[in-house]
Amino acid sequence: MKLLFVGDVVAGVGRRALATVLPALREEHQPDFVVVNGENAAGGVGITRKTAQELLALGVDAITLGNHTYRHREVYGYLDEEPRIVRPANFPKGSPGRGHTVVESNGLRLGVINLSGQVFLEAVRSPFAEADALLSELRGKTDAVLVDMHAEVTSEKVALGWYLDGRVMACVGTTPTWPPPTPGCCRAGPPTSRTSG
């Protein structure tokens, strides 16, 4: 299974850039799935129904979000309606939207989990415990799982990457870490035979 993940599509310029380069990336790499982080797609902060629909119309299979998920009130209902958009799963229970989804393409099923770090952010539950719960829930329902860890500090991304190593297809760390991430914060590869203890 091949996955193309695009981190942080920002504002109109990011959406236009994605529309320009995505066809060539698809042709060159032939991914089975395309997932983008769209939490800054609307004017550089948050997402709206219109900007989400624009990304999905490009053939994006799933959109992950982050701490700006609820910046635009108009999107709340759409987050409940559109299963291909996920907000951090460790946000308060009952928040608009969902924290994970399963998308299908050519007979393959990809689970997409979105998590938020807790340092300097307002997630209410541990991303580690939430990841464990969701992986148990998704067991047998997917061929692979992608985790997008949205966190302020690189160390949380690195720690979750190591924690999930061998249990997911990839654990990527997206915004809002503005300096380049530390090598190793994104873990990718086929699950190993290692089991968690």
Side-chain angles (χ1 to χ4, degrees):
M1 178 184 302
K2 280 188 175 180
L3 168 69
L4 172 62
F5 181 83
V6 180
D8 209 1
V9 175
V10 179
V13 67
R15 296 189 316 272
R16 288 188 300 276
L18 183 63
T20 299
V21 303
L22 189 54
L25 289 172
R26 280 185 183 282
E27 186 174 321
E28 180 180 348
H29 300 287
Q30 299 181 0
D32 297 298
F33 296 97
V34 176
V35 179
V36 303
N37 177 274
E39 83 128 1
N40 290 310
V45 63
I47 195 163
T48 63
R49 175 187 293 260
K50 180 183 174 194
T51 56
Q53 289 174 338
E54 186 178 332
L55 294 174
L56 293 169
L58 296 174
V60 168
D61 296 292
I63 300 171
T64 63
L65 300 173
N67 61 309
H68 298 305
T69 295
Y70 302 120
R71 181 59 65 108
H72 302 282
R73 194 174 208 62
E74 65 157 90
V75 80
Y76 292 10
Y78 189 62
L79 294 176
D80 287 329
E81 296 167 21
E82 178 51 72
R84 296 172 291 176
I85 302 175
V86 291
R87 48 93 174 139
N90 53 339
F91 276 7
K93 297 284 185 196
S95 296
R98 65 197 46 74
H100 71 286
T101 193
V102 177
V103 292
E104 296 185 33
S105 176
N106 298 321
L108 298 172
R109 300 167 301 168
L110 175 69
V112 180
I113 297 174
N114 195 192
L115 296 168
S116 174
Q118 292 184 292
V119 178
F120 306 123
L121 295 175
E122 298 180 16
V124 296
R125 291 180 309 285
S126 162
F128 297 87
E130 196 72 21
D132 285 339
L134 291 174
L135 288 174
S136 288
E137 183 179 330
L138 290 171
R139 188 170 293 124
K141 299 176 184 173
T142 68
D143 298 302
V145 175
L146 164 71
V147 176
D148 177 6
M149 173 61 162
H150 189 89
E152 283 281 351
V153 295
T154 303
S155 58
E156 276 188 296
K157 298 173 194 179
V158 172
L160 188 70
W162 282 110
Y163 184 72
L164 296 176
D165 187 30
R167 297 167 47 189
V168 299
M169 178 182 190
C171 179
V172 295
T174 59
T175 59
T177 305
W178 300 118
T182 304
C185 80
C186 299
R187 312 264 321 145
T192 64
S193 59
R194 182 179 68 85
T195 59
S196 61

